[in-house]
Amino acid sequence: MAFEAFVEKMEVAGQQQRMKEILDFIGSKYPELEQRIAWNQPHFVMDGTFIIGFSYAKAHIAIAPEHVTIEKFKDEALQSGYSVTNQIIRIKWEQAVNYDLIQKMIEFNMVEKAGYKTYWR
């Protein structure tokens, strides 16, 4: 896994395992996406353009799929019990991960950003 060093830096073993599960799920589901550390965070990239990224804090995992994607899936994220800002969706460590939502965001970005020549929208 390209993100092994990132995960190993996490101080809480249970949080390491949770993050690893999410990143491994995406890596196996979307092997065509490049795994890259950028801005000290795991990013999944397609043809040089950003698709989705992750970070973490003491209380949560942060999903960053870009503002356009957050707006499209905001209601579903809120229904999953997650907090949402303009730039991230927060999943508390004790909350269930809505993998269906993550897949929808990734697939939306893959279609929407096909042919992009820049990293960000």
Side-chain angles (χ1 to χ4, degrees), residues 25-40:
F25 170 80
I26 296 168
S28 66
K29 181 81 176 168
Y30 303 97
E32 68 273 28
L33 296 180
E34 175 191 348
Q35 297 180 18
R36 172 188 300 182
I37 296 290
W39 295 273
N40 296 315

Side-chain angles (χ1 to χ4, degrees), residues 4-71:
E4 194 170 304
F6 172 84
V7 172
E8 287 176 359
K9 289 181 187 176
M10 298 173 70
E11 295 178 8
V12 179
Q15 292 176 359
Q16 282 181 340
Q17 184 59 35
R18 192 81 178 284
M19 183 66 78
K20 183 178 181 334
E21 288 170 4
I22 294 168
L23 297 173
D24 284 350
F25 170 80
I26 296 168
S28 66
K29 181 81 176 168
Y30 303 97
E32 68 273 28
L33 296 180
E34 175 191 348
Q35 297 180 18
R36 172 188 300 182
I37 296 290
W39 295 273
N40 296 315
Q41 301 171 357
H43 287 193
F44 288 90
V45 177
M46 178 185 76
D47 300 327
T49 193
F50 175 85
I51 297 299
I52 196 165
F54 294 85
S55 62
Y56 67 93
K58 183 178 181 179
H60 65 267
I61 298 166
I63 303 173
E66 289 188 297
H67 177 72
V68 168
T69 309
I70 288 175
E71 282 302 308

Side-chain angles (χ1 to χ4, degrees), residues 51-92:
I51 297 299
I52 196 165
F54 294 85
S55 62
Y56 67 93
K58 183 178 181 179
H60 65 267
I61 298 166
I63 303 173
E66 289 188 297
H67 177 72
V68 168
T69 309
I70 288 175
E71 282 302 308
K72 180 166 181 62
F73 295 100
K74 182 178 184 175
D75 289 342
E76 191 170 344
L78 291 170
Q79 289 170 5
S80 294
Y82 305 152
S83 67
V84 178
T85 72
N86 284 335
Q87 298 299 325
I88 63 170
I89 296 170
R90 292 186 192 102
I91 303 173
K92 291 182 181 174

